[in-house]
Amino acid sequence: MPKLNMVQAINLGLAQEMARDDSVIVMGEDVGVDGGVFRVTDQLIEKFGAERVLDTPLAESAILGSAIGMALAGLRPVAEMQFSGFSYLMLAQWEGHASRYRARTLGQFTVPLVVRMPFGGGVRALEHHSESREAYYAHTPGSKVLIPSGPRNARALIVAAIRDPDPVVFMEPKHSYRAFREEVPEAEEVGKIGKAQLVQEGNDLTVISWGAMMRPTRKAVAAVTEQRGAGIEVIDLLTIAPMDAGAVVASVTKTGRCVVVQEAPRSFSVASEIIALLNDEALLYLEAPVKRLTGYDVVTPYFGREKSYIPTVGRIVRGIEETLDF
Amino acid sequence: MPKLNMVQAINLGLAQEMARDDSVIVMGEDVGVDGGVFRVTDQLIEKFGAERVLDTPLAESAILGSAIGMALAGLRPVAEMQFSGFSYLMLAQWEGHASRYRARTLGQFTVPLVVRMPFGGGVRALEHHSESREAYYAHTPGSKVLIPSGPRNARALIVAAIRDPDPVVFMEPKHSYRAFREEVPEAEEVGKIGKAQLVQEGNDLTVISWGAMMRPTRKAVAAVTEQRGAGIEVIDLLTIAPMDAGAVVASVTKTGRCVVVQEAPRSFSVASEIIALLNDEALLYLEAPVKRLTGYDVVTPYFGREKSYIPTVGRIVRGIEETLDF
Amino acid sequence: MPRKQIAQFEVPYLQILDAQGQIDPQLDPQLPTDELLRIYRWMVLARATDQRMLKLQRQGRIGTFGPSTGQEAISVAAACAMGDDDWFVGAFRELGGRLVRGEPLTSPYLFYNGYEEGNLQPESSRQRLLPINIIVASQCLHAVGIGYALKYRQERAAAVAFMGDGATSEGDFHEALNFAAVWQAPVVFISQNNQWAISMPREQQTRSQTLAQKGIAYEMPSIQIDGNDALACYVAVREALQRAYDGGGPTFIEAVTYRLMMHTTADDPGRYRTSAEEDEWWQQEPLGRLRTYLTAKKIWDDDQEEALQTEIKAEVDQAVVEFEAMGNFLPDIPFDHVYGTRHASIEQQRREFLTNLEQEAGDA
Amino acid sequence: MPRKQIAQFEVPYLQILDAQGQIDPQLDPQLPTDELLRIYRWMVLARATDQRMLKLQRQGRIGTFGPSTGQEAISVAAACAMGDDDWFVGAFRELGGRLVRGEPLTSPYLFYNGYEEGNLQPESSRQRLLPINIIVASQCLHAVGIGYALKYRQERAAAVAFMGDGATSEGDFHEALNFAAVWQAPVVFISQNNQWAISMPREQQTRSQTLAQKGIAYEMPSIQIDGNDALACYVAVREALQRAYDGGGPTFIEAVTYRLMMHTTADDPGRYRTSAEEDEWWQQEPLGRLRTYLTAKKIWDDDQEEALQTEIKAEVDQAVVEFEAMGNFLPDIPFDHVYGTRHASIEQQRREFLTNLEQEAGDA
Ligand SMILES: Cc1ncc(C[n+]2csc(CCOP(=O)(O)OP(=O)(O)O)c2C)c(N)n1
Ligand SMILES: Cc1ncc(C[n+]2csc(CCOP(=O)(O)OP(=O)(O)O)c2C)c(N)n1
Ligand SMILES: [Mg+2]
Ligand SMILES: [Mg+2]
């Protein structure tokens, strides 16, 4: 099995789906000749031609809006927003059309499409290139929101997203793009949308995270486990919406303690929703407040300061310990 | 004191602020000659002229984007989005500029402006005219989000919003526009941004709501109080972000039980954040799960079905009772 | 100072049938009689439906809606000029065209009474008719994507997108025309310039003398036509479709017309325009002049007109009866169509919803 | 078929100094010597700063940035043509113009090293220089609002907005030009058509022959100019400003230039364009031709050039030294500027942040 980084893994998934189904079209700014500014779509134009790998003009609303038209007419577009920070330009098309077409027509017209977008910080990038706003999309009914955390699940989930009958926001944690490699089988693997992954079992505390935060989370969990011998359960959410409530609730019902690690600002966020869910279904099992280790409710600082604003291994370790000791 | 409905009350606030300060400019689609599709800006063009009450072309991003320019240059624009359902077209300007200019320039450039927008359902309107998406704005750092619930606080808050040094999203619950009247003093009243209102004190349970949901909430509370003699504390949030955490926590710390009533879809919402806040600060005081009485996570139905999807008095009564009886 | 001119552009105009119903013989497209009568019949049906809806709205039997009276020519003629494989991508003021494309006569009532069922196209139809679109200009982009898909699949077909004059101010309009031109997508963009966007007159919406000239920004063949002249509409759309089918890419058509009624039933035009202006435009409305022409051409007479009116009244009556007999609107249908897949959290909320609904019934 | 033409448009072009530095005497604006030398000096300083940044970036001393080498003429000439009361509203490739407008020489380094401090304008300055704007085309709208405010306050001033060629595809560009035209706002829109938007060549960005013709859509005076000809840039901007001051509303200028370097330091142009193309454009770059002209005009010679280069190198060296000596970047400053008012929840998070920071320090 080849060892791939996340960029290569998503590229593999895209290439395989394009080979399998000629209704799959890749489109966006610089996705063709340039292969994408992160090279996620590298070589696709050579393999599948400029009719299936569209270098579009610079207009995010048009990229999604025309992708919606393609999907209505039977194609399966995979559109890229060059950075999630520019995706708000297409939110009206997302909220108003992509997420609604099925409901509006009681299933007669559907828009199976994927919007891929790199998101998150930690790569010393310019303004607007470091935010995490998955909550916008997750709060929009009719949207599916996926966030892979590693090469293998990224490949499996991009395939699932492309085959899914619904519009999917596929948010790629750019900090993880080249951070590590995993074995990714050539053979087809199709992720399950709506399912979280139980990364590690434990009885004392549940840590829930997703995307780029999975790495510091795992390191922190390893450290705490080593230091204290605590049994920590780790959940990788993978699907943000519709969330795998069952997995979250089952775990915390068992452990009674929970820490959520997220890069996005704290308030009105995915972490908030996880807590609300636990309140609904597991309150009586909670032995400590659920801890939110998150970004702060400040305007994302330029990269000179960003590091301190993203949860670190040390902060996660302390958060877990405090929750264990509560 | 004249008895005014919410439309008249906001109109009064706008007119008084325009008279007081010639840097206040009203702008938007049909706000001038037509006086706004809901008449909130009625007569302003007659009183202040077409240079200060701008009927703009049909373009939401331009309305906010040019308002940002005006604010940078020292004006205080009050821009209208004709319906919140079209405001996503300006979210990129909001997230990318309005909410960031202060942070970006460490306070050197600021954008004191207000974006008014009617939101919410219950008025038998067409698609996109019934949603509640306050969570988008609330989740955006640097944004202040206000939602009045009645004529008097609407007037006081619009005045506060106009005078505030920051960009404010002022969401007007259109169902409450003409639903009832209140005495609104001619004399200046300036609301306090960041402060919730304790509508009614009680020791047994806290109900938190805002906007149009305050009315069924109050009715439900009256019914439960009458039936059971329970002491129910009622909080009208008024400011969604930055939220008055102190008021919420103090109340639930006292009562131990809490119900949140909201029109918006449930997940990743303001209600979720309130629960997360209580988890952080008041978990040990909770005698029952906080109950979310909310819209569902479905695409807002057309108005033929909408009624069942908006929390009703009966549903709130039952929610309160269940939480009391937990 | 002497400066080079590096590009020149012109904006053409087409009117075939003038406001008095006189045809310009040089421009006569010589449409077959049955096609002329077909166009006329749909225009009459659209007008009758529109006026009935107005009545129903005033009686509280349907909700807010935006009448299209006075604008029948362009959407009907366009729809008649279209082929079966073409896609109709409307805004919200193309009632006539929608009916031509096979929308059930009951659908407008259902839609404006708040039921998604009003968006359903007959299973038997080609279903290349998108639902009404309310987010101004947003649909222009869908047409571009559809056009791209048609081109990609090498179908000899096009997408026809409608928008208002106000819509041309939105970013989505601009992005759509640019994408369509770059892709040379088979799309016909038709701006119904009805002089008003709610209370905003055309002259304040944009400073350009014509809307048609906006196509120059995209090097797109563009034309202004008399949008109340069904023949000019038909000819211009047919030409544009032909260009699209032949690989010649998109066309932009400005159809000059007038919104004779209120913006929607919630609107009061008396606040922003004079009835004198309305009266003037009533003189130019499309049905009368087409009837004059058909009569002059001796393919139509008063008896036929009377028979048609009777027939159409019956059709409209029948549709309203059918609409009002419809009742089985399942309350939890929104839960079925959030996603195309089932999810536990949605199903749990559905149960909660149904329990609540039962209890509400008990409350009453 | 004979059709009426109802409107005609032309797109003018202006070049004064050709690629060889030859002036068209008919078009010579006869700028005073000190103004010519001032323009040249800023262009040289911009080039030197740009090249130094490239070096610093390669050494990891600053982060990703987008060089403006080759595009100095337009932003410098525009800034030199502007009055003190005018607003400079840039995108991200107007380094030269920004420096002219009084941006501290250390700011670019600070900005591209990830500190908001790089956006601070000297307290002593007029501060009509907005920070770098990264959301393509979004700043065009800010310029329109500023223009409106200037008009409203009856200031004799204008806003000058810069954007790229790619930017003309965004909806915000369209909406901005439309609003500006409708409001007749004093705004000068300058599109730096540098032939590329990252990997997207100008011809695929839009189908129009020129970008200038996009102004026709808004009935806006528009012109294409040689953007590497500092004189044409100066003249065109001055004319546009004059029009704006005089109540004549906005102007759209397409300045044809070329991005001689990579899009940003993260980009590899070798993936999408040839070095032959780059070489060709190096022949037309703006500094050389202006120097040739100044030399031919006998107001500049090699000694002066050498002295200038030495002087500017020292200035740049000094700026880098100053930049690298800066250090007191308070970590919790973002909490100060979320709002202009204090809020308990933000202050609580600040405390949490500071505690964490202390503990992190302990971790290390
Ligand atoms: C994006 C958006 N903004 C605002 C509205 C509210 N609105 C509905 S129709 C309309 C005017 C549309 O004018 P025009 O495009 O000329 O179409 P017409 O109504 O004249 O057919 C407005 C402002 C909307 N539906 N969508
Ligand atoms: C709205 C938006 N979309 C995408 C990007 C990413 N991006 C940054 S610059 C750029 C190309 C800009 O091209 P152009 O307008 O020609 O300016 P140039 O870089 O050539 O100066 C892109 C796509 C962005 N910054 N903003
Ligand atoms: Mg109109
Ligand atoms: Mg460019």
Side-chain angles (χ1 to χ4, degrees):
Chain A
M1 271 199 286
K3 279 209 148 204
L4 305 181
N5 65 29
M6 191 186 281
V7 165
Q8 297 165 322
I10 298 172
N11 182 272
L12 174 68
L14 291 170
Q16 289 183 329
E17 286 306 293
M18 292 186 83
R20 180 178 167 269
D21 177 357
D22 77 356
S23 65
V24 179
I25 299 281
V26 163
M27 62 194 291
E29 296 155 11
D30 308 292
V31 299
V33 176
D34 196 41
V37 294
F38 288 104
R39 309 288 175 251
V40 175
T41 54
D42 197 26
Q43 300 293 325
L44 295 181
I45 196 166
E46 282 83 353
K47 288 183 194 143
F48 302 102
E51 290 213 319
R52 295 187 61 193
V53 184
L54 294 171
D55 270 321
T56 67
L58 215 179
E60 288 70 15
S61 186
I63 292 170
L64 178 58
S66 61
I68 289 171
M70 292 181 192
L72 287 167
L75 302 186
R76 291 192 169 252
V78 181
E80 175 176 303
M81 295 287 124
Q82 197 160 81
F83 289 89
S84 67
F86 310 123
S87 72
Y88 321 129
L89 286 160
M90 65 72 168
L91 193 81
Q93 286 283 349
W94 185 268
E95 199 275 350
H97 292 300
S99 73
R100 282 174 191 263
Y101 241 107
R102 173 183 295 280
R104 175 184 292 155
T105 61
L106 306 180
Q108 201 174 50
F109 288 95
T110 61
V111 282
L113 59 80
V114 183
V115 179
R116 298 177 36 248
M117 49 175 101
F119 81 108
V123 299
R124 291 172 53 87
L126 289 165
E127 199 185 359
H128 311 292
H129 292 68
S130 308
E131 286 70 19
S132 299
R133 298 271 187 273
E134 59 268 33
Y136 288 167
Y137 295 102
H139 182 58
T140 308
S143 309
K144 289 173 173 171
V145 183
L146 310 187
I147 300 183
S149 62
R152 186 160 178 175
N153 60 38
R155 203 283 293 263
L157 285 172
I158 191 72
V159 170
I162 292 171
R163 298 189 191 176
D164 196 78
D166 293 312
V168 176
V169 178
F170 192 81
M171 299 181 74
E172 302 171 2
K174 69 172 91 68
H175 190 253
S176 308
Y177 264 158
R178 295 172 184 278
F180 61 104
R181 290 167 179 271
E182 276 177 357
E183 299 201 335
V184 178
E186 268 285 323
E188 175 170 307
E189 280 196 324
V190 189
K192 256 199 151 324
I193 295 177
K195 281 275 162 264
Q197 192 195 340
L198 187 61
V199 174
Q200 164 179 324
E201 290 191 66
N203 289 312
D204 300 330
L205 181 144
T206 304
V207 185
I208 302 172
S209 191
W210 55 93
M213 288 296 99
M214 283 307 298
R215 289 197 86 205
T217 294
R218 292 171 97 146
K219 283 190 193 152
V221 167
V224 177
T225 308
E226 166 144 355
Q227 280 160 40
R228 319 194 12 159
I232 298 177
E233 186 142 308
V234 179
I235 292 179
D236 182 350
L237 218 47
L238 295 175
T239 298
I240 305 301
M243 202 186 280
D244 188 350
V248 169
V249 170
S251 176
V252 181
T253 305
K254 178 177 73 174
T255 62
R257 295 172 199 270
C258 181
V259 169
V260 184
V261 185
Q262 132 190 312
E263 199 175 317
R266 178 168 309 167
S267 297
F268 311 95
S269 72
V270 174
S272 316
E273 176 56 27
I274 292 172
I275 294 175
L277 181 65
L278 293 170
N279 162 85
D280 292 354
E281 310 272 346
L283 184 73
L284 299 186
Y285 298 87
L286 281 182
E287 289 164 37
V290 180
K291 187 169 282 289
R292 285 189 280 182
L293 300 171
T294 68
Y296 301 95
D297 294 338
V298 299
V299 175
T300 314
Y302 284 15
F303 74 79
R305 292 185 182 86
E306 81 174 323
K307 238 178 130 180
S308 346
Y309 285 81
I310 299 176
T312 54
V313 176
R315 189 171 155 209
I316 302 170
V317 166
R318 281 187 294 279
I320 294 174
E321 286 178 338
E322 281 168 29
T323 306
L324 282 171
D325 295 339
F326 184 87
Chain B
M1 272 199 285
K3 280 208 149 204
L4 305 181
N5 65 28
M6 191 186 282
V7 165
Q8 297 165 322
I10 299 173
N11 183 272
L12 175 67
L14 291 172
Q16 290 183 328
E17 287 306 293
M18 291 186 82
R20 180 178 167 272
D21 178 357
D22 78 355
S23 65
V24 179
I25 300 282
V26 163
M27 61 193 291
E29 295 155 12
D30 308 292
V31 298
V33 175
D34 196 41
V37 295
F38 287 104
R39 308 288 174 251
V40 175
T41 54
D42 197 26
Q43 300 294 324
L44 296 181
I45 196 166
E46 283 84 353
K47 288 182 195 145
F48 302 101
E51 291 213 318
R52 295 187 61 194
V53 184
L54 293 172
D55 270 322
T56 68
L58 215 178
E60 289 71 15
S61 186
I63 292 171
L64 178 58
S66 60
I68 290 170
M70 291 181 195
L72 287 167
L75 302 186
R76 291 192 169 252
V78 182
E80 176 176 301
M81 295 287 123
Q82 198 160 78
F83 289 89
S84 67
F86 309 123
S87 71
Y88 321 130
L89 286 161
M90 64 74 170
L91 193 81
Q93 285 284 348
W94 186 268
E95 199 275 349
H97 293 299
S99 73
R100 282 174 191 263
Y101 240 107
R102 174 183 294 282
R104 176 185 290 156
T105 62
L106 306 180
Q108 201 174 51
F109 289 94
T110 61
V111 281
L113 59 80
V114 182
V115 180
R116 297 178 36 249
M117 50 174 101
F119 81 108
V123 299
R124 291 172 53 86
L126 289 165
E127 199 185 358
H128 311 291
H129 293 67
S130 307
E131 285 71 19
S132 299
R133 298 271 187 274
E134 59 268 35
Y136 288 166
Y137 296 101
H139 182 58
T140 308
S143 309
K144 289 173 172 171
V145 183
L146 310 187
I147 301 183
S149 62
R152 186 159 179 178
N153 60 37
R155 202 284 291 261
L157 285 173
I158 191 73
V159 170
I162 292 171
R163 299 189 191 176
D164 196 78
D166 293 312
V168 175
V169 179
F170 192 82
M171 299 182 73
E172 302 171 1
K174 70 173 90 68
H175 189 253
S176 308
Y177 264 158
R178 296 171 185 279
F180 62 104
R181 289 168 180 268
E182 276 176 357
E183 299 201 334
V184 178
E186 268 284 323
E188 174 170 308
E189 280 195 325
V190 189
K192 255 199 151 328
I193 295 178
K195 281 274 162 263
Q197 192 194 341
L198 186 62
V199 174
Q200 165 181 324
E201 290 191 64
N203 289 311
D204 300 330
L205 181 144
T206 305
V207 186
I208 302 172
S209 191
W210 54 93
M213 287 297 99
M214 283 307 297
R215 289 197 86 205
T217 294
R218 291 170 96 143
K219 282 190 195 152
V221 166
V224 178
T225 308
E226 164 142 358
Q227 279 160 40
R228 318 195 10 160
I232 297 179
E233 185 141 309
V234 178
I235 291 179
D236 182 349
L237 218 46
L238 295 175
T239 297
I240 305 300
M243 201 185 281
D244 188 349
V248 169
V249 170
S251 176
V252 181
T253 304
K254 176 176 72 175
T255 62
R257 294 172 199 268
C258 181
V259 169
V260 184
V261 185
Q262 132 191 312
E263 199 175 316
R266 178 168 308 168
S267 296
F268 311 94
S269 71
V270 175
S272 315
E273 177 56 28
I274 292 172
I275 295 174
L277 181 64
L278 292 170
N279 161 84
D280 292 354
E281 312 271 344
L283 185 72
L284 300 186
Y285 299 88
L286 282 183
E287 289 164 36
V290 180
K291 188 170 279 291
R292 283 188 282 183
L293 301 172
T294 68
Y296 302 95
D297 294 338
V298 300
V299 176
T300 315
Y302 283 14
F303 75 78
R305 292 184 182 87
E306 79 173 324
K307 238 178 131 178
S308 344
Y309 285 80
I310 299 176
T312 55
V313 175
R315 190 170 154 209
I316 302 170
V317 166
R318 281 187 294 279
I320 294 174
E321 287 179 338
E322 281 168 30
T323 306
L324 281 170
D325 296 340
F326 184 87
Chain C
M1 279 192 256
R3 288 187 190 172
K4 247 195 338 198
Q5 301 296 337
I6 50 168
Q8 276 84 31
F9 304 94
E10 294 191 322
V11 178
Y13 177 82
L14 181 66
Q15 183 195 57
I16 299 175
L17 211 55
D18 70 14
Q20 286 69 49
Q22 302 295 317
I23 196 161
D24 180 337
Q26 283 202 286
L27 297 173
D28 187 348
Q30 315 261 10
L31 297 192
T33 299
D34 56 352
E35 189 67 355
L36 287 169
L37 296 183
R38 177 175 168 243
I39 294 171
Y40 182 62
R41 188 184 197 287
W42 282 115
M43 285 168 61
V44 173
L45 179 59
R47 175 74 56 92
T49 300
D50 207 54
Q51 292 298 319
R52 182 64 59 91
M53 284 169 75
L54 210 49
K55 215 155 128 186
L56 293 185
Q57 194 283 332
R58 294 310 187 207
Q59 296 166 342
R61 290 154 75 188
I62 62 168
T64 309
F65 96 106
S68 59
T69 287
Q71 302 181 217
E72 292 87 353
I74 176 63
S75 79
V76 164
C80 288
M82 284 166 70
D84 264 5
D85 290 343
D86 296 328
W87 286 72
F88 188 102
V89 182
F92 42 78
R93 224 180 284 282
E94 297 82 23
L95 173 62
R98 301 185 66 80
L99 297 178
V100 177
R101 293 294 293 175
E103 179 146 286
L105 263 185
T106 47
S107 285
Y109 307 107
L110 272 171
F111 178 87
Y112 287 109
N113 208 32
Y115 290 102
E116 288 84 351
E117 283 79 352
N119 287 329
L120 290 177
Q121 303 311 322
E123 287 298 334
S124 62
S125 77
R126 195 83 180 78
Q127 297 183 11
R128 294 192 157 187
L129 170 56
L130 291 189
I132 281 177
N133 177 83
I134 288 172
I135 308 177
V136 168
S138 63
Q139 74 281 6
C140 301
L141 287 165
H142 307 164
V144 176
I146 291 169
Y148 187 85
L150 294 171
K151 189 174 173 178
Y152 177 71
R153 292 292 190 209
Q154 301 182 325
E155 288 192 46
R156 196 173 161 79
V160 179
F162 293 86
M163 73 232 64
D165 47 316
T168 65
S169 295
E170 288 280 2
D172 276 359
F173 167 81
H174 168 72
E175 297 187 7
L177 268 70
N178 192 46
F179 266 53
V182 168
W183 288 347
Q184 287 291 286
V187 182
V188 182
F189 295 98
I190 302 176
S191 174
Q192 293 202 55
N193 172 6
N194 66 1
Q195 312 305 324
W196 292 91
I198 309 187
S199 70
M200 188 63 149
R202 153 66 188 83
E203 303 72 46
Q204 288 173 44
Q205 187 66 244
T206 181
R207 203 176 150 86
S208 65
Q209 312 162 47
T210 67
L211 299 183
Q213 76 200 59
K214 292 183 186 292
I216 295 170
Y218 320 98
E219 210 80 38
M220 190 183 292
S222 301
I223 184 171
Q224 187 188 69
I225 64 174
D226 183 339
N228 285 355
D229 164 7
L231 297 187
C233 293
Y234 190 94
V235 167
V237 173
R238 206 177 46 181
E239 262 182 31
L241 284 171
Q242 205 58 49
R243 178 179 298 125
Y245 300 156
D246 293 346
T251 301
F252 180 52
I253 298 173
E254 174 191 3
V256 177
T257 178
Y258 193 79
R259 192 195 80 213
L260 288 170
M261 315 298 289
M262 63 291 288
H263 168 70
T264 67
T265 48
D267 174 51
D268 170 14
R271 293 179 71 96
Y272 52 80
R273 70 186 193 189
T274 63
S275 55
E277 176 183 312
E278 292 174 7
D279 292 346
E280 202 178 295
W281 279 94
W282 267 110
Q283 305 309 313
Q284 308 182 42
E285 70 80 38
L287 268 65
R289 73 165 96 169
L290 185 55
R291 182 179 164 190
T292 303
Y293 167 65
L294 297 177
T295 308
K297 206 175 152 79
K298 304 225 184 306
I299 57 174
W300 198 248
D301 63 24
D302 289 357
D303 291 347
Q304 283 170 298
E305 178 72 20
E306 203 182 312
L308 177 66
Q309 294 290 352
T310 311
E311 192 181 304
I312 276 181
K313 181 173 180 316
E315 259 182 74
V316 172
D317 287 346
Q318 173 60 22
V320 173
V321 168
E322 277 177 40
F323 152 64
E324 295 203 316
M326 290 173 174
N328 192 21
F329 300 115
L330 292 179
D332 64 328
I333 214 168
F335 291 92
D336 291 338
H337 299 292
V338 191
Y339 298 120
T341 48
R342 296 244 146 181
H343 293 274
S345 56
I346 301 292
E347 293 310 315
Q348 185 187 328
Q349 289 193 18
R350 186 206 297 266
R351 287 190 297 276
E352 186 187 324
F353 169 80
L354 289 172
T355 306
N356 265 312
L357 208 63
E358 263 173 51
Q359 289 170 322
E360 304 272 308
D363 292 345
Chain D
M1 279 192 252
R3 288 186 189 170
K4 250 199 326 202
Q5 302 296 337
I6 50 168
Q8 276 84 30
F9 304 93
E10 295 190 322
V11 178
Y13 176 82
L14 181 65
Q15 183 196 56
I16 299 176
L17 211 54
D18 70 15
Q20 285 69 48
Q22 303 295 317
I23 197 160
D24 180 335
Q26 282 201 288
L27 297 173
D28 186 348
Q30 317 259 10
L31 297 192
T33 298
D34 55 352
E35 189 68 355
L36 286 169
L37 296 183
R38 178 175 168 241
I39 294 172
Y40 182 63
R41 188 185 199 287
W42 283 115
M43 285 168 62
V44 173
L45 179 59
R47 175 74 56 91
T49 300
D50 208 53
Q51 292 297 320
R52 182 64 60 91
M53 285 169 76
L54 210 49
K55 216 156 129 186
L56 293 185
Q57 195 282 332
R58 292 312 187 207
Q59 297 167 341
R61 291 155 72 188
I62 63 169
T64 308
F65 95 105
S68 60
T69 288
Q71 300 182 218
E72 292 87 353
I74 176 63
S75 79
V76 165
C80 287
M82 285 167 69
D84 264 7
D85 290 344
D86 296 329
W87 285 72
F88 188 101
V89 182
F92 42 77
R93 224 180 285 281
E94 297 82 24
L95 173 62
R98 301 185 67 80
L99 297 178
V100 178
R101 294 295 291 175
E103 179 146 287
L105 263 186
T106 46
S107 285
Y109 308 107
L110 272 171
F111 179 87
Y112 288 110
N113 208 32
Y115 289 102
E116 288 84 352
E117 283 79 352
N119 288 328
L120 289 177
Q121 303 311 322
E123 287 298 333
S124 61
S125 78
R126 195 84 180 77
Q127 298 184 11
R128 293 192 158 186
L129 169 57
L130 292 188
I132 281 178
N133 178 83
I134 288 172
I135 307 176
V136 167
S138 63
Q139 74 280 8
C140 301
L141 288 165
H142 307 165
V144 176
I146 291 168
Y148 187 85
L150 294 171
K151 189 175 173 175
Y152 176 72
R153 293 294 189 205
Q154 301 183 324
E155 289 191 46
R156 195 173 164 78
V160 179
F162 293 85
M163 73 232 62
D165 47 314
T168 64
S169 295
E170 288 280 2
D172 276 359
F173 167 82
H174 169 72
E175 297 186 8
L177 267 70
N178 192 47
F179 267 53
V182 167
W183 288 347
Q184 287 291 285
V187 183
V188 182
F189 296 99
I190 303 175
S191 174
Q192 292 202 54
N193 172 6
N194 65 1
Q195 312 304 326
W196 292 92
I198 309 188
S199 70
M200 188 63 149
R202 153 66 188 84
E203 304 70 46
Q204 289 173 42
Q205 187 67 244
T206 180
R207 203 177 151 85
S208 64
Q209 312 162 48
T210 66
L211 299 182
Q213 77 200 57
K214 293 183 185 291
I216 295 170
Y218 320 98
E219 211 80 38
M220 191 184 292
S222 301
I223 184 172
Q224 187 188 67
I225 64 173
D226 182 338
N228 285 354
D229 165 7
L231 297 188
C233 293
Y234 190 94
V235 167
V237 173
R238 207 177 47 181
E239 260 182 34
L241 283 170
Q242 205 57 48
R243 179 180 297 124
Y245 300 155
D246 293 346
T251 301
F252 180 52
I253 299 173
E254 173 192 3
V256 177
T257 178
Y258 192 79
R259 192 194 81 213
L260 288 171
M261 315 297 289
M262 61 293 287
H263 168 69
T264 67
T265 47
D267 175 49
D268 170 14
R271 293 179 70 96
Y272 52 79
R273 70 185 193 190
T274 63
S275 55
E277 176 183 312
E278 293 173 7
D279 292 345
E280 202 178 296
W281 278 94
W282 268 111
Q283 305 309 313
Q284 308 182 40
E285 69 82 37
L287 268 65
R289 74 165 95 168
L290 185 54
R291 183 180 165 191
T292 304
Y293 168 65
L294 297 177
T295 309
K297 205 175 153 77
K298 306 225 183 309
I299 57 173
W300 197 247
D301 62 24
D302 289 357
D303 291 347
Q304 283 169 298
E305 179 71 21
E306 202 181 314
L308 177 65
Q309 294 291 352
T310 310
E311 191 181 307
I312 276 182
K313 181 171 181 314
E315 259 183 73
V316 173
D317 288 346
Q318 173 62 19
V320 173
V321 168
E322 276 177 40
F323 152 65
E324 295 204 315
M326 290 173 172
N328 193 23
F329 300 114
L330 293 179
D332 63 328
I333 215 168
F335 291 91
D336 291 338
H337 299 293
V338 191
Y339 297 120
T341 49
R342 296 243 145 181
H343 293 275
S345 56
I346 300 292
E347 293 311 314
Q348 187 188 325
Q349 288 193 19
R350 186 205 298 264
R351 286 190 297 276
E352 186 187 324
F353 168 82
L354 289 172
T355 307
N356 264 312
L357 209 63
E358 263 173 50
Q359 289 170 323
E360 306 270 308
D363 291 347

